[in-house]
Amino acid sequence: MVETQIIPRNIKDRRVLEAMLTIPRHLFIPEEALWSQAYSDFPLPIGEKQTISQPYIVALMTETLELEKTEKVLEIGTGSGYQTAILSMLANKVYSIERIGLLAARARKVLDSINCSNVVIKIADGTLGWPEEAPFDAILTTAAAPEIPQCYIEQLNIGGRLVIPVGEEYSQTLVKIIKTKEGIIKQEMGGCRFVKLIGRHGWKTEDTL
Ligand code: SAM
């Protein structure tokens, strides 16, 4: 996976490559029948109409955060917990929010089984961020928002990085934000397609109105 999909697409951060070589991705896929595809170049279903992201996208989003093992990171959308495990190897502490209880519980179990002890998971609406634990050095959102929730910027440290897919339901742009003393720097990193970020500051459904 790393040699054929990640390095050829220009992911250079050695620590990201190392983490992706180390974390057993198949363990995060609940259906064992899909394990033979766990290292392939596409997302896979994890139940509850959600997906584990394509390996390259995980690598790209992680590299974008420029982590050096000292950071406090917020992840929105724990999903399978695979991206969380990668972050846990590269950051000091990871706070991860998932809105679907079953997915959060499964992710916790797999993360514990591979000794990811620097991860805290909570079941909540991640569009609100995690104000009690802010500020964060980095924030990563693994579901797509119609617009960037303002609270993510507020909950970033100066110098902090945010990576988030933003756009329409079926087509988004991956956006990197750097918070500086003078304001924010915004970089667009290309097209992507994620499931919806559902919540008060994301896409609305009947139960979030
Ligand atoms: N990075 C994950 C992985 O590797 O498995 C992929 C996660 S999946 C693409 C996106 C996740 O975001 C889903 O599990 C979904 O339930 C979750 N999600 C959507 N809206 C959310 C919200 N407001 N707060 C927390 N999680 C949310």
Side-chain angles (χ1 to χ4, degrees):
M1 176 182 87
V2 170
E3 273 178 23
T4 61
Q5 301 164 39
I6 310 295
I7 294 172
R9 284 173 171 135
N10 224 15
I11 300 296
K12 291 196 170 73
D13 188 331
R14 288 283 346 147
R15 288 160 300 186
V16 175
L17 300 175
E18 197 58 45
M20 297 199 70
L21 285 167
T22 307
I23 301 296
R25 182 172 158 92
H26 63 281
L27 295 183
F28 293 87
I29 295 165
E31 213 176 309
E32 280 192 41
L34 295 176
W35 280 12
S36 61
Q37 299 174 59
Y39 300 87
S40 303
D41 192 16
F42 41 75
L44 285 168
I46 55 169
E48 307 291 307
K49 298 190 188 140
Q50 304 303 322
T51 53
I52 179 172
S53 305
Q54 177 195 18
Y56 166 65
I57 285 288
V58 173
L60 177 64
M61 291 179 85
T62 311
E63 186 175 66
T64 300
L65 295 181
E66 301 170 57
L67 300 174
E68 296 185 338
K69 201 56 192 164
T70 54
E71 296 83 0
K72 186 174 180 182
V73 177
L74 174 65
E75 179 193 40
I76 319 295
T78 318
S80 68
Y82 176 67
Q83 170 78 75
T84 323
I86 300 288
L87 292 172
S88 87
M89 277 192 69
L90 297 169
N92 180 35
K93 189 142 187 184
V94 182
Y95 294 83
S96 188
I97 309 176
E98 172 55 57
R99 65 184 283 273
I100 301 175
L102 176 71
L103 297 181
R106 268 203 211 128
R108 176 80 271 166
K109 216 168 159 188
V110 184
L111 290 164
D112 286 346
S113 75
I114 58 167
N115 301 317
C116 290
S117 53
N118 59 343
V119 174
V120 186
I121 299 178
K122 82 167 171 179
I123 301 161
D125 175 4
T127 68
L128 305 174
W130 198 324
E132 304 80 8
E133 291 296 343
F136 298 95
D137 302 302
I139 301 179
L140 182 151
T141 306
T142 70
E147 283 165 24
I148 299 174
Q150 184 57 30
C151 62
Y152 293 172
I153 313 272
E154 289 162 7
Q155 291 177 28
L156 266 186
N157 261 325
I158 298 296
R161 286 83 61 200
L162 160 68
V163 64
I164 179 169
V166 184
E168 304 299 321
E169 183 170 353
Y170 295 113
S171 157
Q172 306 107 26
T173 304
L174 198 57
V175 175
K176 176 182 183 178
I177 299 285
I178 304 169
K179 183 170 173 178
T180 72
K181 276 190 199 145
E182 292 74 36
I184 61 164
I185 300 168
K186 184 176 173 184
Q187 294 167 7
E188 294 194 351
M189 306 188 54
C192 58
R193 184 173 168 177
F194 279 81
V195 297
K196 285 185 188 177
L197 182 72
I198 295 169
R200 193 181 316 160
H201 301 303
W203 293 93
K204 308 284 187 293
T205 62
E206 275 171 25
D207 56 320
T208 57
L209 288 173

